[in-house]
């Protein structure tokens, strides 16, 4: 962290037991208001998916066009996931969220007008679905980033679980409502209703009295913000573990969702109604499980919950592979929904609490990209397995492999708890210079004098320093040792610009402050470590020497 001592932070009072309840976040008016907009947004998403898929079947009978509907809807998440997260961290989040709702409303209106006018064609439908997906790709990271602003930290798990309730409730109601409207009025009216609901949600967002505080250093450049977001996750053992677990879980569990229509046909008397009932049972199980999550979180570790949820979901997938009874299927899907939400919520909370506010949207955008990427790949893989063998075999293999891989990951890379406390260390004094450089990379050197006998332990500690500097946004990091003085080490940090160098002072966390104290404990010089700052005048290609 920057070379300055952080202030001491006060300890907050212990919350009462009632404040940990599943519905406690609804006690905050702004959360309740924005949760309603999130419910509407999810409802519109599911309605739009159903109406788009059905409309394509009326425009063409070619399977490839129908399959491309899902591709067009999800592709924006891959293309715009990280950029949208960077924008949500750079811009005013309230205005950005408002913009996403307006965007979706405009696209919904265009879809409705194209159908009403008779101008709709398969290529035009795919284009408009893609544009609608852009709105969804932009909206998810910013909403994920604002939730921690709305509730106290101890209520964040419950708030995220309620967001899961919103998603699963809309998963049930959206298709039912869309199907009713399509049957009675046509697909165009579904798109029009989506536009109206999105406008209503945008109006609600304007009532949120949030004051945006502009960064005194100015906005980050989009490319730089994306680089820093990737670096933060890459240098965090905790976040990499979360992303690995969520990707493994969705890659395997998606087999059931992708093949559920065929599973429903294998049930006695199976038809479209059977498929809808199984989906509704899964959503209901997820909603009901929300009320038991607070107690589970207090009694079990994160990995225990993730393992239990993943293994339970795998078991229900194995049951559905060979089941032919409707009510057994309904019960299994309800348990599956509960296990699904427990696993996803545990990992979502784990990601949220480890991200500082300045990079939260970027981190959560990568979390969403991991989910979408693993789901898309899993659907393709397990669909091919089912084609080459059978649906029961694909589900059985998915259940077994999902259990084995998750057990291995949790054993090989165990959860060590929250290793990086993202709480800000507080305002730090900025370095004083006569004339701040207008361009050029900034090199910072910090010279330590240590006991040579402690060199191995110091090098190990400096590896933590490397991760810390890179998480804060440094462009490069090196540790140099003096050939003639085995106790002299020089830490070298490179920043892309003077402004980026100053940003690291604002990003220092409590963990960074503790790390600085640990490094200082090794320093045995009479004076503090010497800190020098310089501007790179030329760029030398090739490697750097590791010794002075």
């Amino acid at each position: 962290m920057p070379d300055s001592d952080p202030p001491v932070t006060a300890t907050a009072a212990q919350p009462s037991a009632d404040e940990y309840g599943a519905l406690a976040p609804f006690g905050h008016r702004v959360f309740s208001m924005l949760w309603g907009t999130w419910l509407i947004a999810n409802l519109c998403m599911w309605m739009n998916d159903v109406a788009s898929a059905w409309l394509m079947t009326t425009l063409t009978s070619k399977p490839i066009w129908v399959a491309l509907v899902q591709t067009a809807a999800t592709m924006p998440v891959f293309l715009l996931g990280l950029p949208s997260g960077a924008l949500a961290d750079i811009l005013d989040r309230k205005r950005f969220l408002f913009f996403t709702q307006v965007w979706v409303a405009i696209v919904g209106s265009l879809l409705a007008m194209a159908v009403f006018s008779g101008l709709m064609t398969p290529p035009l439908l795919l284009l408009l679905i893609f544009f609608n997906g852009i709105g969804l790709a932009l909206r998810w990271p910013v909403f994920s980033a604002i939730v921690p602003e709305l509730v106290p930290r101890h209520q964040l798990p419950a708030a995220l679980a309620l967001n899961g309730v919103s998603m699963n409730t809309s998963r049930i109601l959206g298709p039912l409502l869309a199907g009713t409207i399509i049957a009675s009025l046509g697909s165009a009216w579904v798109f029009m209703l989506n536009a109206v609901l999105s406008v209503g949600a945008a109006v609600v967002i304007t009532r949120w009295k949030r004051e945006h505080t502009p960064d005194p250093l100015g906005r980050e450049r989009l490319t730089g913000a994306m680089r820093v977001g990737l670096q933060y996750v890459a240098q965090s053992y905790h976040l990499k573990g979360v992303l690995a677990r969520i990707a493994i879980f969705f890659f395997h569990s998606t087999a059931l969702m992708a093949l559920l229509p065929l599973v429903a046909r294998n049930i006695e008397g199976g038809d479209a109604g059977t498929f809808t009932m199984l989906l509704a049972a899964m959503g209901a199980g997820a909603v009901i499980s929300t009320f038991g999550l607070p107690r589970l979180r207090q009694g079990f570790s994160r990995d225990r919950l993730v393992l239990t949820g993943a293994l339970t979901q795998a078991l229900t997938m194995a049951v559905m592979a060979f089941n032919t009874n409707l009510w057994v299927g309904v019960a299994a899907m309800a348990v599956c929904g509960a296990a699904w939400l427990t696993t996803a919520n545990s990992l979502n909370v784990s990601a949220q609490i480890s991200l500082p506010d300045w990079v939260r949207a970027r981190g959560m955008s990568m979390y969403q990209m991991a989910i979408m990427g693993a789901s898309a790949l899993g659907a393709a893989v397990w669909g091919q397995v089912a084609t080459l063998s059978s649906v029961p075999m694909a589900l059985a293999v998915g259940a077994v492999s999902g259990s084995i891989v998750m057990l291995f990951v949790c054993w090989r890379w165990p959860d060590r708890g929250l290793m990086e406390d993202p709480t800000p260390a507080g305002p730090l004094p900025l370095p004083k210079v006569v004339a701040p450089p207008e361009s050029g990379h900034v090199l910072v050197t910090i010279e330590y004098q240590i006991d040579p006998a402690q060199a191995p332990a110091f090098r190990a500690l400096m590896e933590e320093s490397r991760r810390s500097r890179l998480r804060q946004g440094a462009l490069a990091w090196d540790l140099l040792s003096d050939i003639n003085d085995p106790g002299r080490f020089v830490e070298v940090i490179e920043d892309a610009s003077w402004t980026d160098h100053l940003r690291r002072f604002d990003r220092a966390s409590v963990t960074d402050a503790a790390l600085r104290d640990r490094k200082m404990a090794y320093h045995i010089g009479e004076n503090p470590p010497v800190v020098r700052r310089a501007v790179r005048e030329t760029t030398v290609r090739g490697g750097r020497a590791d010794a002075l």
Side-chain angles (χ1 to χ4, degrees):
M1 64 171 288
D3 190 44
S4 178
D5 291 323
V8 178
T9 55
T11 303
Q14 185 68 22
S16 64
D18 293 340
E19 294 183 19
Y20 284 96
L23 302 179
F26 282 138
H28 303 276
R29 186 183 65 84
V30 177
F31 174 82
S32 300
M33 179 177 68
L34 293 181
W35 185 87
T37 67
W38 188 237
L39 176 62
I40 292 174
N42 289 328
L43 190 66
C44 291
M45 178 185 69
W46 287 105
M47 291 172 60
N48 193 83
D49 286 350
V50 172
S52 299
W54 181 257
L55 178 59
M56 184 61 82
T57 63
T58 66
L59 296 174
T60 178
S61 59
K62 295 181 178 180
I64 184 61
W65 286 105
V66 178
L68 285 175
V69 169
Q70 190 63 27
T71 301
T74 57
M75 186 178 295
V77 177
F78 296 102
L79 299 179
L80 300 175
L82 185 55
S84 64
L87 288 172
D89 281 329
I90 295 172
L91 304 176
D92 182 344
R93 289 174 179 170
K94 173 185 174 181
R95 292 185 178 181
F96 193 49
L97 183 60
F98 175 83
F99 169 78
T100 64
Q101 289 302 118
V102 173
W103 176 279
V104 172
I106 292 174
V107 175
S109 300
L110 292 175
L111 281 164
M113 288 189 292
V115 176
F116 281 133
S117 62
L119 299 176
M120 184 62 76
T121 62
L124 178 59
L125 177 58
L126 289 181
L127 179 63
L128 292 175
I129 292 172
F130 182 85
F131 284 163
N132 186 74
I134 291 175
L136 302 180
L138 295 176
R139 181 177 63 200
W140 199 90
V142 67
F143 190 85
S144 297
I146 65 176
V147 172
E149 298 182 25
L150 309 179
V151 297
R153 185 180 177 87
H154 64 273
Q155 290 183 355
L156 182 59
L160 296 176
L162 289 173
N163 285 346
V165 170
S166 169
M167 176 63 75
N168 285 281
T169 300
S170 62
R171 187 199 299 266
I172 299 171
L173 298 180
L176 293 176
L177 184 57
T180 302
I181 296 175
I182 292 172
S184 56
L185 299 174
S187 298
W189 289 100
V190 176
F191 299 133
M192 185 58 70
L193 177 59
N194 283 348
V196 172
L197 290 175
S198 297
V199 170
V203 172
V204 172
I205 292 172
T206 62
R207 298 178 57 193
W208 179 21
K209 305 301 181 182
R210 181 183 189 269
E211 293 296 331
H212 174 63
T213 303
D215 191 332
L217 297 174
R219 292 176 180 173
E220 289 184 79
R221 292 183 179 181
L222 181 60
T223 53
M226 293 167 59
R227 173 186 64 81
V228 173
L230 286 170
Q231 280 186 200
Y232 193 95
V233 173
Q235 300 302 325
S236 172
Y237 174 93
H238 182 84
L239 283 173
K240 287 190 293 185
V242 170
L243 294 184
R245 286 162 173 78
I246 199 67
I248 290 169
F249 177 71
F250 271 85
F251 174 80
H252 291 91
S253 62
T254 295
L256 180 57
M257 292 303 299
L259 300 174
L260 192 59
L262 299 177
V263 172
R265 287 184 176 275
N266 290 334
I267 291 179
E268 296 178 2
D271 54 16
T274 304
F275 175 60
T276 302
M277 186 175 294
L278 294 177
L279 275 180
M282 181 179 180
V287 171
I288 294 172
S289 69
T290 304
F291 298 97
L293 280 178
R295 185 177 296 275
L296 290 175
R297 279 191 292 266
Q298 292 177 6
F300 300 96
S301 66
R302 187 205 72 181
D303 265 8
R304 182 76 176 273
L305 283 176
V306 169
L307 265 178
T308 302
L311 294 178
T312 302
Q313 193 281 332
L315 178 61
T316 61
M317 193 156 65
V319 171
M320 293 301 295
F322 303 101
N323 173 62
T324 58
N325 182 276
L326 174 60
W327 297 112
V328 172
V330 167
M333 289 302 294
V335 174
C336 176
W340 193 306
L341 183 66
T342 298
T343 305
N345 177 258
S346 299
L347 292 171
N348 193 344
V349 171
S350 189
Q352 284 274 17
I353 62 176
S354 64
L355 286 164
D357 186 65
W358 63 269
V359 75
R360 189 183 305 279
R362 279 165 280 186
M364 294 310 297
S365 70
M366 283 180 269
Y367 178 86
Q368 177 69 1
M369 290 171 68
I371 291 176
M372 298 298 290
S375 298
L377 180 60
V381 169
W382 299 117
Q384 185 65 15
V385 172
T387 301
L388 297 176
S389 55
S390 65
V391 171
M393 179 60 66
L395 292 179
V397 172
V400 173
S401 63
S403 300
I404 293 175
V405 175
M406 187 65 80
L407 282 167
F408 174 77
V409 169
C410 290
W411 168 75
R412 181 63 180 80
W413 295 281
D415 177 30
R416 300 175 183 172
L418 187 57
M419 298 174 64
E420 303 100 21
D421 185 350
T423 305
L428 302 176
L430 300 179
K432 296 180 180 180
V433 294
V434 177
E438 296 181 358
S439 62
H441 290 189
V442 175
L443 294 177
V444 182
T445 61
I446 306 175
E447 301 181 17
Y448 299 92
Q449 191 68 42
I450 70 167
D451 180 355
Q454 297 294 323
F458 183 74
R459 287 192 179 95
L461 181 63
M462 293 306 287
E463 180 62 22
E464 293 185 37
S465 184
R466 180 188 68 83
R467 292 193 294 268
S468 172
R469 308 291 191 185
L470 294 176
R471 280 199 305 269
Q472 293 171 356
L475 197 61
W477 183 94
D478 281 306
L479 180 65
L480 309 181
S481 60
D482 195 321
I483 294 176
N484 298 314
D485 184 353
R488 181 171 175 261
F489 288 84
V490 180
E491 183 180 16
V492 184
I493 309 108
E494 182 174 351
D495 292 307
S497 67
W498 181 253
T499 300
D500 284 348
H501 174 60
L502 297 181
R503 290 190 197 281
R504 290 200 292 111
F505 285 77
D506 292 334
R507 295 168 177 172
S509 68
V510 170
T511 297
D512 298 324
L515 176 60
R516 177 182 182 272
D517 292 340
R518 291 162 62 196
K519 289 187 293 186
M520 288 295 294
Y522 282 91
H523 183 67
I524 60 175
E526 295 181 0
N527 298 315
V530 177
V531 180
R532 293 186 174 91
R533 295 175 175 86
V535 177
R536 183 187 293 279
E537 296 289 346
T538 59
T539 300
V540 179
R541 298 187 180 276
R544 297 180 194 163
D546 291 331
L548 294 176

